[in-house]
Amino acid sequence: MLDKITVYSYRRCPFAMRVRIALHEKEIPFEVVEEDLKNFSQKLISLHPEAKVPVLVHANRVIYESAIITEYVNDLPSEQKSLMPESAGEKAEVRLWTYWCNYHFKPDLDRYKYGTSRFTEAECLGAEERLRKHLEKIEDRLEKNPWLVGEGFSLAEVHLFPFVRQLSRIQPTPHFLSSFQSVLKWRDQLSARPSILKALEK
Ligand SMILES: N[C@@H](CCC(=O)N[C@@H](CS)C(=O)NCC(=O)O)C(=O)O
C-alpha cells in the first residue's frame, strides 16, 4: 500500500495532464488539488521553487517538473505495464521525444497559438512553418509505427499527447492539420484511452 499521493494540478495545463495520465495509466490512487493559475495557493508556492503546476507530493517527498514526476510515477510499484521501454536505446528515444516536445514543439505551438499577444513579431516569424515541420516529424514516425517508441504506449505518448491535443483544439482549427492523418489517428485513438479520459474528466 503506497502512502498518499497529492498532485497540485490545473485541469487544462498540458504538463499537469501528463502527470494525471501517468497515474491513471499505472492505476495509482491520488488526490488532486486544483490550483488557480492566476492565484496559486501559498502551499503550491512553498512547494515549487518556480511556482508552477504540476507538483506531486508523496509522503515527505516533493517532486516537480512533469517529465521527472511521470518517471517517478512509472517507477512506483504497480501491477500495470511499465511506461518506459526495456532497452537503453528506446529509453533514450522516449527522453529525446520529451526533450524535443519541451524545447521545440511546445515553444512553437505557443508562438503559433498566442502570436503577438504574447510574443514579439520576431519570435512569431516562421512559427507556423516550424510547427508544420514538427508535425511532419511525428507523422513520419507514426506512418511506420503505431507508437512513438517501440511496440506500445510509453511516456513518449504521455508527454506529447497533451500538446498535440492542445494544437488541434485551437479555433479555428489549424488548416494544415488535415495533412497529418497518422498524427490525427494517433490523437483520436489516445483520446479514447481510459487513462486519458479519466485525466481529462471535469
Ligand atoms: N517545465 C514545467 C512546466 C510547467 C508549467 O509551465 N506550468 C504552467 C501551467 S501549464 C504554470 O504553472 N505556469 C505558471 C507560471 O509560469 O507562472 C513542467 O514540465 O512541469
Side-chain angles (χ1 to χ4, degrees):
M1 177 79 175
L2 283 172
D3 283 318
K4 187 174 118 185
I5 293 181
T6 304
V7 178
Y8 293 79
S9 181
Y10 174 66
R11 208 184 79 80
R12 285 162 52 198
C13 166
F15 296 105
M17 226 173 260
R18 287 173 166 179
V19 171
R20 299 196 307 272
I21 296 171
L23 283 159
H24 284 304
E25 196 65 41
K26 301 289 288 198
E27 297 188 355
I28 295 174
F30 63 103
E31 170 190 271
V32 171
V33 175
E34 182 70 4
E35 287 285 339
D36 174 354
L37 217 51
K38 294 200 178 78
N39 186 22
F40 280 143
S41 66
Q42 284 307 312
K43 181 73 184 171
L44 186 276
I45 293 168
S46 73
L47 292 172
H48 195 311
E50 295 154 24
K52 288 181 195 289
V53 283
V55 174
L56 179 144
V57 180
H58 184 200
N60 293 326
R61 200 177 286 283
V62 177
I63 307 178
Y64 47 86
E65 271 301 310
S66 56
I68 296 178
I69 304 175
T70 55
E71 283 216 34
Y72 175 79
V73 166
N74 188 48
D75 288 338
L76 291 174
S78 160
E79 300 280 293
Q80 302 308 308
K81 268 202 195 146
S82 174
L83 301 173
M84 264 299 198
E86 282 281 307
S87 76
E90 287 186 346
K91 282 193 176 85
E93 278 182 45
V94 169
R95 294 183 180 124
L96 284 169
W97 276 113
T98 306
Y99 171 84
W100 171 85
C101 180
N102 293 348
Y103 294 100
H104 296 274
F105 185 62
K106 144 92 175 147
D108 283 324
L109 169 57
D110 281 351
R111 288 177 193 124
Y112 175 82
K113 182 173 171 183
Y114 299 110
T116 49
S117 69
R118 283 207 193 163
F119 299 95
T120 63
E121 292 217 358
E123 284 169 330
C124 296
L125 205 67
E128 179 177 326
E129 193 45 40
R130 290 195 299 278
L131 205 46
R132 283 170 189 249
K133 287 261 179 307
H134 296 329
L135 286 165
E136 259 168 50
K137 176 183 161 78
I138 313 178
E139 180 77 11
D140 279 355
R141 167 67 193 176
L142 295 175
E143 256 173 13
K144 298 176 206 105
N145 194 299
W147 305 103
L148 290 170
V149 178
E151 299 304 312
F153 182 91
S154 73
L155 286 182
E157 268 74 31
V158 174
H159 294 160
L160 262 71
F161 170 80
F163 293 95
V164 171
R165 175 178 182 271
Q166 191 179 51
L167 169 64
S168 58
R169 287 168 64 87
I170 294 174
Q171 287 301 327
T173 308
H175 57 98
F176 49 85
L177 259 188
S178 57
S179 317
F180 302 102
Q181 285 300 315
S182 307
V183 177
L184 294 178
K185 188 169 156 212
W186 173 88
R187 178 207 60 184
D188 291 344
Q189 279 170 353
L190 292 180
S191 299
R193 198 172 172 94
S195 64
I196 293 186
L197 287 171
K198 283 190 201 137
L200 295 175
E201 257 168 25
K202 288 197 179 152

